[in-house]
Amino acid sequence: MSDDDPYKAVGVDYDLLDALKRAAMVAARSTSPALDRHGGRALERSRGEPAFVFELGGLTLAFVQECLGTKSVIARKFAELTGENRFADVAYDAVAAIANDLVAVGALPLVINAYFATGSPRWLQDSDRGRELVEGWRRGCETAGAAWGGGESPTLVGLVSPEDVELAGSGVGMVPAGRRPLLGDQVAPGAEIVLVASSGIHTNGLTLAVEAAGRLPGGLAEPLPGGESFGSALLRPSLIYVPLLADLIAADLPIGYVSHVTGHGFRKLMRADRRLTYHLTDLPPVPEVLAFVTDVLDLDPRRAYGTFNMGAGLALLVGEGAGGSVVDRAAACGFDAIVAGTVLDGPRRVVVEPLDLVFEDDELRLR
């Protein structure tokens, strides 16, 4: 993406963030021998994937930490504007970010911990907000099939706004016995690309959504064409895809790779560190809230599909001929999905044929 990246315009520079991530991965790699001393082994190929994968005691485990970001600020502003408490939904979203990153490497969640940081003890004195946070986190863990192990709730005066809460958490998952983690090495030309629908904006692009709200006469209360308020649509809970992945694994369908479509939009389809072309011939419907944001911000298709999920919350790369079965099982689990394209031999890129778009290799460098 060039310097007119909409995220850079609102102070989020993924080029800088991704460069820091790559530097951190180099430093982290030097600590891998610590696992060796315990009879374990770091799977170095997992560095740069959604979760770190390691072996210990005959098990293949995955670990991830995630932070929600701007969505909790939107929940606070929406509550001030309408009186509607949506903190259960944002807590659920934080769990979704953790759980979906675990299944992206083929691990089913075991334990998820919470981190609720506030800038003032007064924030938690609001029993309704606190109760909603707890209920949303519990419900998210239930959907993900994970135990809520505990967590932290620090008061960070001077670091976190006294009006807001920072939601984060961590999770441990296990790759089912007899299966390999999904780290990109199982993808081959001929694989089919299945896109599983999102429920809306999920947890990425909210900084831009706040920018859009600032341009609207009604702000977060502005009605969408369908009648729902902009703020309510932004706070619609993310989907947790664990039940789908668990079902596909149980059915022994040939899953080669999973990409959780969050930051970087459709560029995430080429997250695997492979020289392959991801050729899309069909696209899912765009949720109304995403069409609205991109229209308000006047984003062209390249910016929109290179930033937001645009209706595809998860991409599954499955064996040739298996796409239809995956779509059918997704429907049985309550998820909409389409066979959207094919993996081809060729340069690392994403080709979005319906929009005449190509995202090149250098537009997504996570390693």
Side-chain angles (χ1 to χ4, degrees):
M1 306 288 276
S2 63
D3 286 341
D4 60 340
D5 188 327
Y7 254 129
K8 289 184 179 180
V10 294
V12 180
D13 190 334
Y14 268 120
D15 290 339
L16 294 177
L17 294 173
D18 291 344
L20 177 61
K21 289 178 182 178
R22 290 193 295 271
M25 279 189 283
V26 171
R29 192 181 295 266
S30 69
T31 69
S32 292
L35 272 172
D36 299 340
R37 293 193 290 271
H38 296 285
R41 181 172 75 98
L43 299 191
E44 300 296 355
R45 189 179 181 89
S46 70
R47 297 194 184 277
E49 294 293 337
F52 173 65
V53 183
F54 61 101
E55 295 173 347
L56 184 68
L59 303 176
T60 302
L61 302 168
F63 177 79
V64 68
Q65 181 172 318
E66 270 289 351
C67 178
L68 191 63
T70 309
K71 206 162 189 180
S72 61
V73 176
I74 292 176
R76 186 257 299 168
K77 291 181 176 180
F78 188 68
E80 291 172 349
L81 189 64
T82 67
E84 188 176 346
N85 188 330
R86 296 288 293 272
F87 281 98
D89 290 337
V90 292
Y92 188 93
D93 282 335
V95 175
I98 296 164
N100 290 338
D101 276 357
L102 288 172
V103 296
V105 297
L108 300 180
L110 295 175
V111 179
I112 291 176
N113 269 21
Y115 177 86
F116 304 158
T118 58
S120 166
R122 291 192 301 275
W123 200 97
L124 292 174
Q125 287 175 352
D126 185 325
S127 60
D128 289 340
R129 288 190 301 198
R131 184 166 52 249
E132 289 293 301
L133 277 185
V134 168
E135 173 54 23
W137 200 276
R138 184 207 61 78
R139 184 162 46 88
C141 288
E142 183 176 72
T143 304
W148 179 357
E152 276 289 323
S153 54
T155 300
L156 304 178
V157 178
L159 291 177
V160 176
S161 163
E163 300 176 309
D164 291 310
V165 59
E166 179 188 11
L167 297 179
S170 58
V172 176
M174 182 176 69
V175 178
R179 298 190 67 91
R180 295 161 56 194
L182 303 175
L183 303 178
D185 55 322
Q186 300 176 60
V187 184
E192 296 179 356
I193 303 169
V194 175
L195 297 181
V196 187
S198 69
S199 60
I201 199 166
H202 282 195
T203 58
N204 175 252
L206 276 302
T207 302
L208 287 171
V210 170
E211 171 72 13
R215 301 184 186 186
L216 300 170
L220 292 173
E222 186 81 10
L224 301 184
E228 184 180 15
S229 72
F230 184 39
S232 178
L234 291 175
L235 292 167
R236 187 176 301 130
S238 304
L239 297 180
I240 292 178
Y241 297 104
V242 177
L244 172 58
L245 268 294
D247 181 80
L248 297 178
I249 290 169
D252 200 27
L253 286 169
I255 308 168
Y257 193 69
V258 176
S259 185
H260 183 200
V261 184
T262 53
H264 305 89
F266 271 44
R267 290 178 284 164
K268 273 285 178 67
L269 270 67
M270 59 176 169
R271 180 165 195 157
D273 192 17
R274 298 288 304 282
R275 186 176 172 79
L276 293 168
T277 295
Y278 306 87
H279 185 229
L280 299 177
T281 54
D282 197 7
L283 295 172
V286 178
E288 183 181 44
V289 67
L290 288 174
F292 187 79
V293 170
T294 57
D295 182 58
V296 170
L297 296 177
D298 194 26
L299 300 181
D300 61 28
R302 165 167 285 277
R303 296 298 164 200
Y305 279 82
T307 304
F308 298 105
N309 71 61
M310 299 306 285
L314 199 72
L316 301 169
L317 309 184
V318 303
E320 188 172 359
S325 297
V326 171
V327 169
D328 290 344
R329 296 201 76 93
C333 291
F335 297 92
D336 293 329
I338 60 170
V339 179
T342 309
V343 178
L344 305 174
D345 194 11
R348 182 174 177 265
R349 59 169 51 164
V350 178
V351 178
V352 188
E353 184 179 303
L355 299 174
D356 196 25
L357 290 178
V358 178
F359 294 110
E360 300 288 358
D361 173 81
D362 62 357
E363 295 183 72
L364 184 75
R365 303 307 301 170
L366 299 177
R367 293 169 178 79

